[in-house]
Coordinates of all heavy atoms in Angstrom, one line a residue:
M1015 N 99.7 224.1 127.1 CA 98.4 224.4 127.5 C 97.8 225.6 126.8 O 96.7 225.5 126.3 CB 98.4 224.7 129.0 CG 97.0 225.1 129.4 SD 97.0 225.4 131.2 CE 95.5 226.2 131.4
F1016 N 98.6 226.6 126.6 CA 98.0 227.8 125.9 C 97.8 227.5 124.4 O 96.9 228.1 123.8 CB 98.9 229.0 126.1 CG 98.8 229.5 127.5 CD1 99.9 229.5 128.4 CD2 97.6 230.1 128.0 CE1 99.8 229.9 129.7 CE2 97.5 230.5 129.3 CZ 98.6 230.5 130.1
T1017 N 98.6 226.6 123.9 CA 98.4 226.2 122.5 C 97.0 225.6 122.3 O 96.3 225.9 121.3 CB 99.5 225.2 122.0 OG1 100.8 225.8 122.2 CG2 99.3 224.8 120.6
S1018 N 96.7 224.7 123.2 CA 95.4 224.0 123.1 C 94.2 225.1 123.3 O 93.2 225.0 122.7 CB 95.2 222.9 124.1 OG 95.4 223.4 125.4
V1019 N 94.5 226.0 124.2 CA 93.4 227.1 124.4 C 93.3 227.9 123.1 O 92.2 228.2 122.7 CB 93.8 227.9 125.6 CG1 92.9 229.2 125.7 CG2 93.7 227.2 126.9
G1020 N 94.4 228.3 122.5 CA 94.4 229.0 121.2 C 93.7 228.2 120.2 O 93.0 228.8 119.4
H1021 N 94.0 227.0 120.1 CA 93.3 226.1 119.1 C 91.8 226.1 119.4 O 91.0 226.2 118.4 CB 93.8 224.7 119.1 CG 93.1 223.8 118.3 ND1 93.2 223.8 116.9 CD2 92.2 222.7 118.6 CE1 92.4 222.9 116.4 NE2 91.8 222.3 117.4
L1022 N 91.4 225.9 120.5 CA 89.9 225.9 120.9 C 89.2 227.2 120.5 O 88.2 227.2 119.9 CB 89.7 225.6 122.3 CG 90.0 224.1 122.7 CD1 89.9 224.0 124.3 CD2 89.1 223.2 122.1
I1023 N 89.9 228.3 120.9 CA 89.3 229.7 120.5 C 89.3 229.8 119.0 O 88.3 230.2 118.5 CB 90.1 230.8 121.2 CG1 89.9 230.7 122.7 CG2 89.7 232.1 120.6 CD1 90.8 231.6 123.5
G1024 N 90.4 229.5 118.3 CA 90.5 229.7 116.8 C 89.5 228.8 116.1 O 88.9 229.1 115.1
A1025 N 89.3 227.5 116.6 CA 88.3 226.6 116.0 C 86.9 227.1 116.1 O 86.1 226.7 115.2 CB 88.5 225.3 116.5
N1026 N 86.6 227.8 117.0 CA 85.2 228.3 117.3 C 85.0 229.7 116.8 O 83.9 230.2 116.9 CB 84.9 228.2 118.8 CG 84.8 226.8 119.3 OD1 84.3 225.9 118.7 ND2 85.5 226.5 120.4
L1027 N 85.9 230.2 116.1 CA 85.7 231.6 115.4 C 84.9 231.4 114.2 O 84.9 230.3 113.6 CB 87.0 232.2 115.1 CG 88.0 232.7 116.2 CD1 89.3 233.2 115.7 CD2 87.2 233.9 117.0
P1028 N 84.1 232.4 113.8 CA 83.3 232.3 112.6 C 84.3 232.1 111.4 O 85.4 232.5 111.4 CB 82.6 233.6 112.5 CG 82.6 234.2 113.8 CD 83.8 233.6 114.5
Q1029 N 83.8 231.5 110.3 CA 84.6 231.2 109.2 C 85.3 232.4 108.5 O 86.4 232.4 108.1 CB 83.8 230.4 108.1 CG 84.6 229.8 107.0 CD 85.6 228.9 107.4 OE1 85.4 228.1 108.4 NE2 86.7 228.9 106.8
F1030 N 84.4 233.5 108.4 CA 85.0 234.7 107.8 C 86.2 235.3 108.6 O 87.1 235.8 108.1 CB 83.9 235.8 107.6 CG 83.5 236.5 108.8 CD1 84.2 237.7 109.2 CD2 82.6 236.0 109.7 CE1 83.7 238.4 110.3 CE2 82.1 236.7 110.8 CZ 82.8 237.9 111.2
L1031 N 86.1 235.1 109.9 CA 87.2 235.6 110.8 C 88.4 234.7 110.8 O 89.5 235.2 110.8 CB 86.7 235.7 112.2 CG 87.5 236.6 113.2 CD1 87.7 237.9 112.6 CD2 86.8 236.7 114.6
Q1032 N 88.2 233.4 110.6 CA 89.3 232.5 110.4 C 90.1 232.8 109.1 O 91.3 232.8 109.1 CB 88.8 231.0 110.4 CG 88.3 230.5 111.7 CD 87.9 229.1 111.7 OE1 88.1 228.4 110.7 NE2 87.3 228.7 112.7
A1033 N 89.3 233.1 108.0 CA 89.9 233.5 106.8 C 90.7 234.7 106.9 O 91.8 234.9 106.4 CB 88.9 233.6 105.7
A1034 N 90.2 235.7 107.7 CA 90.9 237.0 107.9 C 92.2 236.8 108.7 O 93.2 237.5 108.4 CB 90.0 238.0 108.6
M1035 N 92.2 235.8 109.6 CA 93.4 235.6 110.4 C 94.5 234.9 109.5 O 95.7 235.3 109.8 CB 93.0 234.6 111.6 CG 92.2 235.3 112.7 SD 93.2 236.6 113.4 CE 92.0 237.1 114.6
S1036 N 94.1 234.1 108.6 CA 95.1 233.5 107.7 C 95.8 234.6 106.9 O 97.0 234.7 106.6 CB 94.6 232.4 106.8 OG 93.7 233.0 105.9
I1037 N 95.0 235.7 106.4 CA 95.6 236.8 105.7 C 96.5 237.6 106.6 O 97.5 238.1 106.2 CB 94.5 237.6 105.0 CG1 93.8 236.7 103.9 CG2 95.1 238.8 104.4 CD1 92.6 237.3 103.4
A1038 N 96.0 237.8 107.9 CA 96.8 238.6 108.8 C 98.1 238.0 109.1 O 99.1 238.7 109.3 CB 96.0 238.7 110.1
L1039 N 98.2 236.6 109.1 CA 99.5 236.0 109.3 C 100.5 236.4 108.2 O 101.7 236.6 108.4 CB 99.3 234.5 109.3 CG 100.5 233.6 109.6 CD1 101.1 233.9 111.0 CD2 100.2 232.2 109.4
Y1040 N 100.1 236.4 106.9 CA 101.0 236.7 105.8 C 101.3 238.2 105.9 O 102.4 238.6 105.7 CB 100.3 236.5 104.5 CG 100.1 234.9 104.2 CD1 98.9 234.4 104.1 CD2 101.3 234.2 104.0 CE1 98.8 233.0 103.8 CE2 101.2 232.8 103.8 CZ 100.0 232.3 103.7 OH 99.9 230.9 103.4
A1041 N 100.4 239.0 106.3 CA 100.7 240.5 106.4 C 101.7 240.7 107.5 O 102.6 241.5 107.4 CB 99.4 241.2 106.8
M1042 N 101.6 240.0 108.6 CA 102.6 240.1 109.7 C 104.0 239.7 109.3 O 105.0 240.3 109.5 CB 102.2 239.2 111.0 CG 103.1 239.4 112.2 SD 102.6 238.4 113.5 CE 103.0 236.7 112.8
F1043 N 104.0 238.6 108.5 CA 105.3 238.1 108.0 C 105.9 239.2 107.0 O 107.1 239.5 107.1 CB 105.1 236.8 107.2 CG 106.4 236.3 106.5 CD1 107.5 235.8 107.2 CD2 106.5 236.4 105.1 CE1 108.5 235.4 106.6 CE2 107.6 236.0 104.5 CZ 108.6 235.5 105.2
I1044 N 105.1 239.8 106.2 CA 105.6 240.8 105.2 C 106.0 242.1 106.1 O 107.1 242.7 105.8 CB 104.6 241.2 104.3 CG1 104.3 240.0 103.3 CG2 104.9 242.4 103.5 CD1 103.2 240.1 102.3
G1045 N 105.4 242.4 107.1 CA 105.7 243.5 108.0 C 107.0 243.3 108.7 O 107.7 244.2 109.0
L1046 N 107.3 242.0 109.0 CA 108.6 241.8 109.6 C 109.8 241.7 108.6 O 110.9 242.0 108.8 CB 108.6 240.4 110.4 CG 107.7 240.4 111.6 CD1 107.5 238.9 112.2 CD2 108.2 241.3 112.7
L1047 N 109.4 241.2 107.4 CA 110.4 241.1 106.3 C 111.0 242.3 105.8 O 112.1 242.5 105.5 CB 109.9 240.1 105.2 CG 110.8 239.8 104.1 CD1 112.0 239.0 104.5 CD2 110.1 239.1 102.9
V1048 N 110.0 243.2 105.4 CA 110.4 244.4 104.7 C 111.3 245.3 105.4 O 112.3 245.7 104.8 CB 109.0 245.3 104.3 CG1 109.4 246.6 103.8 CG2 108.3 244.4 103.3
P1049 N 111.2 245.6 106.7 CA 112.3 246.4 107.3 C 113.6 245.8 107.3 O 114.7 246.5 107.2 CB 111.7 246.6 108.8 CG 110.3 246.4 108.7 CD 110.1 245.4 107.6
S1050 N 113.7 244.5 107.4 CA 115.0 243.8 107.3 C 115.6 243.7 106.0 O 116.9 243.5 105.8 CB 114.9 242.4 107.9 OG 114.1 241.6 107.1
M1051 N 114.8 244.1 104.9 CA 115.4 244.0 103.6 C 116.1 245.3 103.3 O 117.0 245.3 102.3 CB 114.2 243.9 102.5 CG 113.6 242.5 102.6 SD 112.1 242.4 101.6 CE 112.8 242.5 100.0
H1052 N 116.0 246.4 104.0 CA 116.6 247.7 103.6 C 118.2 247.5 103.9 O 118.6 247.3 105.0 CB 116.0 248.8 104.5 CG 114.6 249.2 104.2 ND1 114.3 249.7 103.0 CD2 113.5 249.0 104.9 CE1 113.1 249.9 102.9 NE2 112.5 249.5 104.1
G1053 N 118.8 247.6 102.8 CA 120.3 247.6 102.9 C 120.9 246.2 103.1 O 122.1 246.1 103.4
N1054 N 120.1 245.2 102.9 CA 120.7 243.8 103.1 C 120.3 243.0 101.8 O 119.3 242.5 101.7 CB 120.1 243.2 104.4 CG 120.8 242.0 104.8 OD1 121.6 241.4 104.0 ND2 120.6 241.6 106.0
R1055 N 121.3 242.9 101.0 CA 121.2 242.1 99.7 C 120.8 240.6 100.0 O 120.2 240.0 99.2 CB 122.4 242.3 98.8 CG 122.5 243.6 98.1 CD 123.6 243.7 97.2 NE 124.0 242.4 96.6 CZ 125.1 242.2 95.8 NH1 125.8 243.2 95.6 NH2 125.3 241.1 95.3
K1056 N 121.4 240.1 101.0 CA 121.2 238.7 101.3 C 119.8 238.4 101.7 O 119.2 237.4 101.1 CB 122.1 238.3 102.5 CG 122.3 236.8 102.7 CD 123.2 236.6 103.8 CE 123.5 235.1 104.0 NZ 124.5 234.8 105.0
V1057 N 119.1 239.2 102.4 CA 117.7 239.0 102.7 C 116.9 239.3 101.5 O 115.9 238.5 101.3 CB 117.3 240.0 103.9 CG1 115.8 239.9 104.2 CG2 118.1 239.7 105.1
V1058 N 117.2 240.2 100.7 CA 116.4 240.5 99.4 C 116.5 239.3 98.5 O 115.5 238.8 98.0 CB 116.9 241.7 98.7 CG1 116.3 241.9 97.4 CG2 116.6 243.0 99.5
S1059 N 117.7 238.7 98.4 CA 118.0 237.6 97.6 C 117.1 236.4 98.0 O 116.6 235.6 97.3 CB 119.4 237.2 97.4 OG 120.2 238.3 96.9
L1060 N 117.2 236.2 99.4 CA 116.5 235.1 100.0 C 115.0 235.2 99.7 O 114.3 234.2 99.3 CB 116.7 235.1 101.5 CG 116.2 234.1 102.3 CD1 116.7 232.7 102.1 CD2 116.2 234.4 103.9
A1061 N 114.4 236.4 99.8 CA 113.0 236.5 99.6 C 112.7 236.3 98.1 O 111.6 235.7 97.9 CB 112.6 237.9 100.1
V1062 N 113.4 236.8 97.3 CA 113.1 236.6 95.8 C 113.3 235.2 95.4 O 112.4 234.7 94.7 CB 114.1 237.5 95.0 CG1 114.0 237.2 93.5 CG2 113.8 239.0 95.2
I1063 N 114.3 234.5 95.8 CA 114.4 233.1 95.5 C 113.3 232.2 96.1 O 112.8 231.3 95.4 CB 115.9 232.6 95.8 CG1 116.9 233.4 94.9 CG2 116.0 231.1 95.7 CD1 118.3 233.1 95.3
A1064 N 113.0 232.5 97.3 CA 112.0 231.7 98.0 C 110.6 232.0 97.3 O 109.8 231.0 97.1 CB 111.9 232.1 99.5
G1065 N 110.4 233.2 96.9 CA 109.2 233.5 96.2 C 109.1 232.8 94.9 O 108.0 232.3 94.4
A1066 N 110.2 232.7 94.1 CA 110.3 232.0 92.9 C 110.1 230.5 93.0 O 109.4 229.9 92.2 CB 111.7 232.4 92.2
I1067 N 110.8 229.9 94.0 CA 110.5 228.5 94.2 C 109.1 228.2 94.6 O 108.5 227.2 94.1 CB 111.6 228.0 95.2 CG1 113.0 228.1 94.7 CG2 111.2 226.5 95.6 CD1 114.1 227.8 95.7
N1068 N 108.6 229.0 95.5 CA 107.2 228.8 95.9 C 106.2 229.0 94.7 O 105.2 228.2 94.7 CB 106.8 229.8 97.1 CG 105.5 229.4 97.7 OD1 105.2 228.2 97.8 ND2 104.7 230.5 97.9
S1069 N 106.5 229.9 93.9 CA 105.6 230.1 92.7 C 105.7 228.9 91.8 O 104.7 228.4 91.2 CB 106.0 231.3 91.9 OG 105.8 232.5 92.7
L1070 N 106.9 228.3 91.6 CA 107.0 227.0 90.9 C 106.1 225.9 91.4 O 105.4 225.3 90.7 CB 108.5 226.6 90.8 CG 108.8 225.3 90.1 CD1 108.6 225.4 88.7 CD2 110.2 224.8 90.5
F1071 N 106.2 225.8 92.7 CA 105.5 224.8 93.4 C 104.0 225.0 93.2 O 103.1 224.1 93.1 CB 105.8 224.6 94.8 CG 107.1 223.9 95.1 CD1 108.0 224.4 96.1 CD2 107.5 222.9 94.4 CE1 109.2 223.8 96.3 CE2 108.8 222.2 94.5 CZ 109.6 222.8 95.5
Y1072 N 103.6 226.3 93.4 CA 102.2 226.7 93.3 C 101.6 226.4 91.9 O 100.5 225.8 91.8 CB 102.0 228.1 93.7 CG 100.6 228.6 93.5 CD1 99.6 228.4 94.6 CD2 100.1 229.4 92.4 CE1 98.3 228.8 94.5 CE2 98.8 229.8 92.4 CZ 97.9 229.5 93.3 OH 96.6 230.0 93.3
F1073 N 102.3 226.9 90.8 CA 101.7 226.7 89.5 C 101.8 225.4 89.0 O 101.0 225.0 88.1 CB 102.4 227.7 88.6 CG 102.0 229.2 88.9 CD1 102.9 230.1 89.3 CD2 100.7 229.6 88.8 CE1 102.5 231.4 89.6 CE2 100.2 230.9 89.1 CZ 101.2 231.8 89.5
T1074 N 102.7 224.5 89.4 CA 102.8 223.2 88.9 C 102.0 222.2 89.8 O 101.6 221.1 89.3 CB 104.3 222.7 88.9 OG1 104.8 222.7 90.3 CG2 105.1 223.5 88.0
G1075 N 101.7 222.6 91.0 CA 100.9 221.8 91.9 C 101.6 220.6 92.5 O 101.1 219.6 92.9
W1076 N 103.0 220.7 92.5 CA 103.9 219.6 93.0 C 103.8 219.3 94.5 O 103.7 218.2 94.9 CB 105.3 219.9 92.6 CG 105.7 219.7 91.2 CD1 104.9 219.1 90.2 CD2 106.8 220.2 90.5 NE1 105.4 219.2 89.0 CE2 106.6 219.8 89.1 CE3 107.9 221.0 90.9 CZ2 107.6 220.2 88.2 CZ3 108.8 221.3 90.0 CH2 108.7 220.9 88.6
L1077 N 103.5 220.4 95.2 CA 103.4 220.4 96.7 C 102.1 221.2 97.1 O 101.7 222.1 96.4 CB 104.6 220.9 97.4 CG 105.9 220.2 97.3 CD1 107.0 221.0 97.9 CD2 105.8 218.8 97.9
S1078 N 101.6 220.8 98.3 CA 100.5 221.5 98.8 C 101.0 222.9 99.3 O 102.3 223.0 99.5 CB 99.9 220.8 100.0 OG 100.8 220.6 101.1
T1079 N 100.2 223.8 99.7 CA 100.6 225.2 100.0 C 101.6 225.2 101.2 O 102.6 225.8 101.2 CB 99.4 226.1 100.3 OG1 98.5 226.0 99.2 CG2 99.8 227.5 100.6
G1080 N 101.2 224.5 102.3 CA 102.1 224.5 103.5 C 103.4 223.9 103.2 O 104.5 224.5 103.6
W1081 N 103.5 222.8 102.5 CA 104.8 222.2 102.2 C 105.5 223.1 101.2 O 106.8 223.1 101.4 CB 104.6 220.7 101.6 CG 104.3 219.8 102.7 CD1 103.1 219.2 103.0 CD2 105.3 219.2 103.6 NE1 103.3 218.3 104.0 CE2 104.5 218.3 104.4 CE3 106.6 219.5 103.9 CZ2 105.2 217.7 105.5 CZ3 107.2 218.8 105.0 CH2 106.5 218.0 105.8
A1082 N 104.9 223.7 100.3 CA 105.6 224.5 99.3 C 106.3 225.7 100.0 O 107.4 226.0 99.7 CB 104.7 225.0 98.3
I1083 N 105.6 226.3 101.0 CA 106.2 227.3 101.7 C 107.5 226.9 102.5 O 108.5 227.5 102.5 CB 105.2 228.1 102.7 CG1 104.1 228.8 101.8 CG2 105.9 229.0 103.6 CD1 103.0 229.3 102.6
M1084 N 107.3 225.8 103.2 CA 108.5 225.2 104.0 C 109.6 224.9 103.1 O 110.8 225.2 103.4 CB 107.9 224.1 104.9 CG 107.0 224.4 105.9 SD 106.5 223.0 106.8 CE 108.0 222.2 107.4
V1085 N 109.4 224.1 102.0 CA 110.4 223.7 101.2 C 111.1 224.9 100.5 O 112.4 224.9 100.4 CB 109.9 222.6 100.1 CG1 111.0 222.3 99.1 CG2 109.5 221.3 100.8
S1086 N 110.3 225.9 100.0 CA 110.9 227.0 99.3 C 111.7 227.8 100.2 O 112.8 228.3 99.9 CB 109.9 227.8 98.6 OG 109.0 228.3 99.5
T1087 N 111.3 228.0 101.5 CA 112.0 228.8 102.4 C 113.4 228.1 102.8 O 114.5 228.7 102.9 CB 111.2 229.0 103.7 OG1 110.0 229.7 103.4 CG2 111.9 229.9 104.7
L1088 N 113.3 226.8 103.1 CA 114.5 226.0 103.4 C 115.5 226.0 102.2 O 116.7 226.2 102.4 CB 114.1 224.7 103.9 CG 115.2 223.8 104.4 CD1 115.9 224.4 105.6 CD2 114.7 222.4 104.8
A1089 N 115.0 225.7 101.1 CA 115.8 225.6 99.9 C 116.5 226.9 99.5 O 117.8 226.9 99.2 CB 115.0 225.1 98.7
S1090 N 115.8 228.0 99.7 CA 116.4 229.3 99.4 C 117.5 229.7 100.5 O 118.5 230.2 100.1 CB 115.4 230.4 99.3 OG 114.6 230.6 100.5
A1091 N 117.2 229.3 101.7 CA 118.1 229.7 102.8 C 119.4 228.9 102.5 O 120.5 229.5 102.7 CB 117.5 229.4 104.1
I1092 N 119.3 227.6 102.2 CA 120.4 226.8 102.0 C 121.2 227.3 100.7 O 122.5 227.4 100.8 CB 120.0 225.3 101.8 CG1 119.6 224.8 103.1 CG2 121.2 224.5 101.3 CD1 118.9 223.4 103.0
F1093 N 120.5 227.7 99.7 CA 121.2 228.1 98.5 C 122.0 229.5 98.8 O 123.1 229.6 98.4 CB 120.2 228.3 97.4 CG 120.7 228.9 96.1 CD1 121.5 228.0 95.3 CD2 120.5 230.2 95.7 CE1 122.1 228.6 94.1 CE2 121.0 230.7 94.6 CZ 121.8 229.9 93.7
I1094 N 121.3 230.4 99.4 CA 121.9 231.7 99.7 C 123.1 231.5 100.6 O 124.1 232.2 100.4 CB 120.9 232.7 100.3 CG1 119.8 233.1 99.3 CG2 121.5 233.9 100.9 CD1 120.4 233.8 98.1
E1095 N 122.9 230.7 101.6 CA 124.1 230.4 102.5 C 125.2 229.8 101.8 O 126.4 230.1 102.0 CB 123.7 229.6 103.7 CG 124.7 229.5 104.9 CD 125.0 230.9 105.4 OE1 124.1 231.8 105.4 OE2 126.1 231.2 105.8
W1096 N 125.0 228.8 100.9 CA 126.0 228.2 100.1 C 126.7 229.2 99.2 O 128.0 229.1 99.1 CB 125.4 227.0 99.3 CG 126.3 226.3 98.4 CD1 127.3 225.5 98.8 CD2 126.4 226.3 97.0 NE1 128.0 225.0 97.7 CE2 127.4 225.5 96.6 CE3 125.7 227.1 96.0 CZ2 127.8 225.4 95.3 CZ3 126.0 226.9 94.7 CH2 127.0 226.0 94.3
I1097 N 125.9 230.1 98.5 CA 126.5 231.0 97.7 C 127.4 232.0 98.5 O 128.6 232.3 98.1 CB 125.4 231.8 96.9 CG1 124.8 231.0 95.9 CG2 126.0 233.1 96.3 CD1 125.6 230.4 94.8
S1098 N 126.9 232.5 99.6 CA 127.7 233.4 100.4 C 129.0 232.8 101.0 O 130.0 233.5 101.1 CB 126.8 233.9 101.5 OG 126.5 233.0 102.5
R1099 N 128.9 231.5 101.3 CA 130.1 230.8 101.8 C 131.1 230.5 100.8 O 132.3 230.5 101.0 CB 129.8 229.6 102.6 CG 128.9 229.8 103.9 CD 129.2 228.7 104.9 NE 128.4 229.1 106.0 CZ 128.8 229.0 107.2 NH1 130.0 228.5 107.4 NH2 128.0 229.3 108.2
K1100 N 130.6 230.3 99.6 CA 131.5 230.1 98.4 C 132.2 231.3 98.1 O 133.4 231.2 97.6 CB 130.6 229.5 97.2 CG 131.5 229.0 96.2 CD 130.5 228.4 95.1 CE 131.4 227.8 94.0 NZ 130.6 227.2 92.9
G1101 N 131.6 232.5 98.2 CA 132.3 233.7 97.9 C 133.4 234.1 99.0 O 134.2 234.9 98.6
V1102 N 133.3 233.5 100.2 CA 134.3 233.9 101.2 C 135.5 233.0 101.0 O 135.4 231.8 100.9 CB 133.6 233.6 102.6 CG1 134.8 233.8 103.7 CG2 132.4 234.5 102.9
K1103 N 136.7 233.6 100.8 CA 137.9 232.9 100.6 C 138.4 232.4 101.9 O 138.4 233.1 103.0 CB 139.0 233.8 100.0 CG 138.6 234.3 98.6 CD 139.7 235.2 98.1 CE 139.3 235.5 96.7 NZ 140.2 236.4 96.0
R1104 N 138.8 231.1 102.0 CA 139.3 230.5 103.2 C 140.8 230.4 103.1 O 141.4 230.1 102.0 CB 138.7 229.1 103.3 CG 137.1 229.3 103.5 CD 136.6 227.9 103.7 NE 135.1 228.2 103.7 CZ 134.2 227.5 104.4 NH1 134.7 226.5 105.2 NH2 132.9 227.7 104.4
S1105 N 141.4 230.5 104.2 CA 142.8 230.5 104.3 C 143.3 229.1 104.6 O 142.7 228.3 105.3 CB 143.4 231.4 105.4 OG 142.9 232.7 105.2

């Protein structure tokens, strides 16, 4: 119910405010990411690899913006987890 209310309110905002909200979403994500990066190489690697993959999709035009973000985030998470598990010796 609240999702539909949020959609109705957001759809009726002026265009300049809708554009500002999309930038605010990225700023909020960065605000959550940066504190978790301090002292955690895994998170830093994840962010760098995701950024590189997303840049590849952006400059080549292979995927739309939304799909590029989703695919690059998922691919980098899988890659980092695979690398970290490969480094752990199993008995």
Side-chain angles (χ1 to χ4, degrees):
M1015 175 177 166
F1016 289 112
T1017 300
S1018 59
V1019 171
H1021 174 71
L1022 288 173
I1023 292 171
N1026 291 315
L1027 289 174
Q1029 188 62 33
F1030 76 94
L1031 198 52
Q1032 288 180 14
M1035 289 297 182
S1036 66
I1037 294 170
L1039 181 64
Y1040 290 114
M1042 182 183 67
F1043 174 72
I1044 291 169
L1046 292 171
L1047 178 67
V1048 169
S1050 66
M1051 290 174 71
H1052 292 293
N1054 194 340
R1055 281 184 33 188
K1056 193 174 184 180
V1057 175
V1058 172
S1059 300
L1060 180 70
V1062 168
I1063 292 171
I1067 294 171
N1068 190 40
S1069 296
L1070 174 74
F1071 289 138
Y1072 177 79
F1073 290 117
T1074 60
W1076 288 342
L1077 292 175
S1078 66
T1079 304
W1081 281 107
I1083 291 170
M1084 290 178 56
V1085 170
S1086 62
T1087 303
L1088 185 61
S1090 63
I1092 290 170
F1093 179 73
I1094 291 297
E1095 194 59 32
W1096 178 70
I1097 292 294
S1098 68
R1099 294 205 181 226
K1100 190 174 182 177
V1102 175
K1103 293 181 181 179
R1104 297 184 187 212
S1105 305

